Amino acid sequence: MIAGNWKMHLGPAEARTFLEGLSLGDVPAQQELLIFPPSVTLASLVADPSRPARVQVGIQNIHWEDQGAFTGEVSAGMAAEVGATFALIGHSERRHVFGETDEEVSLKVTAAYRHGLVPVVCVGETLEERRAGRVDEVILRQLDAALSAFPAQGRVLLAYEPVWAIGTGETATPQDASAAHATLRRRLTDALGVAKAREVAILYGGSVKPANAAELLDATDVDGVLVGGASLDPESFARIASAGS
Ligand code: PGA
């Protein structure tokens, strides 16, 4: 899975320009592709005739309630109604800029399933936590909160995104990524059993770009990438997507 998180970039007009410039000729047919646009761009991106059918669309954040007096929020049902099929949940900017808690992440996972959205749950430690040797403790606490909301059936993806590597140009080494992914996979195996744990794709995110995508995608236990800045340019997104072959 190659997923692009556009964050607060690319409104509807810019998204149209992105699609016009997107050429997937070199991207292997089995490669899954996904874009998380801003929510005001969602409906037009889904409906845009120049969107290749293989490029799926997700929402960057949902509220856990279906409706109500929550000014500025969007529900999972509303995102599904306009064609989103995935929901990014617990991205580090949600956690650290907007104060989202593990409990809210768990409620959002439940809300995503209620409306047929596949959750992509993000976990990751800060630099301080890494320096204190607390990587496993932090990412397992975040995973456990989300795990409590996983249904017996249903697809889920995880994204390991060390906070210190997001938007900083600092990338985790493939070994760092593999180690964290293995920790997550072990917990998934304990909680869900071997077969179901194996079905959970674990993406790496944090300063992924065309120059480092191949080595990260080749790393053990890395099943894909979640790309921020480098997903805004169609050529760079396509180059990352073709690095997975
Ligand atoms: P970045 O962002 O690739 O710009 O570091 C990744 C993310 O936040 O998903």
Side-chain angles (χ1 to χ4, degrees):
M1 167 69 86
I2 309 293
N5 172 15
W6 285 358
K7 310 191 179 187
M8 201 171 73
H9 298 281
L10 307 194
E14 288 168 316
R16 205 169 313 125
T17 308
F18 175 96
L19 287 177
E20 281 161 9
L22 184 64
S23 160
L24 299 177
D26 294 333
V27 180
Q30 76 280 4
Q31 186 67 70
E32 258 198 294
L33 303 171
L34 169 61
I35 288 175
F36 293 101
S39 33
V40 292
T41 304
L42 235 174
S44 58
L45 188 67
V46 169
D48 196 314
S50 43
R51 177 179 61 90
R54 58 194 292 205
V55 176
Q56 306 174 86
V57 182
I59 186 159
Q60 295 175 10
N61 176 44
I62 50 172
H63 194 273
W64 57 86
E65 296 287 352
D66 290 346
Q67 60 195 18
F70 302 106
T71 301
E73 295 288 315
V74 172
S75 73
M78 293 168 187
E81 184 182 340
V82 295
T85 47
F86 290 78
L88 200 57
I89 297 180
H91 186 275
S92 79
E93 285 145 23
R94 299 298 321 166
R95 293 178 190 268
H96 296 287
V97 182
F98 299 101
E100 200 164 297
T101 63
D102 288 339
E103 192 194 356
E104 288 167 355
V105 167
S106 165
L107 291 169
K108 289 178 181 202
V109 170
T110 303
Y113 282 119
R114 205 161 55 233
H115 293 279
L117 299 178
V118 176
V120 180
V121 178
C122 304
V123 301
E125 81 288 355
T126 63
L127 188 56
E128 222 172 42
E129 289 162 340
R130 170 163 286 261
R131 286 190 176 140
R134 295 179 51 217
V135 176
D136 287 5
E137 174 207 323
V138 171
I139 64 177
L140 290 177
R141 188 201 74 225
Q142 293 170 335
L143 173 60
D144 285 347
L147 262 178
S148 64
F150 287 1
Q153 300 298 324
R155 186 176 179 201
V156 63
L157 286 81
L158 298 182
Y160 168 62
E161 298 204 306
V163 178
W164 48 272
I166 296 178
T168 58
E170 295 262 346
T171 317
T173 63
Q175 292 77 13
D176 289 337
S178 287
H181 287 216
T183 298
L184 296 170
R185 182 86 59 200
R186 271 194 299 276
R187 181 67 119 237
L188 287 170
T189 304
D190 290 345
L192 308 172
V194 178
K196 178 114 172 88
R198 215 180 270 142
E199 286 169 16
V200 179
I202 308 179
L203 316 184
Y204 167 79
S207 298
V208 175
K209 38 190 180 281
N212 61 19
E215 61 170 8
L216 287 161
L217 286 163
D218 281 347
T220 308
D221 255 321
V222 174
D223 305 312
V225 285
L226 178 56
V227 188
S231 72
L232 298 174
D233 172 63
E235 200 194 319
S236 144
F237 183 67
R239 279 175 61 206
I240 292 169
S242 58
S245 46

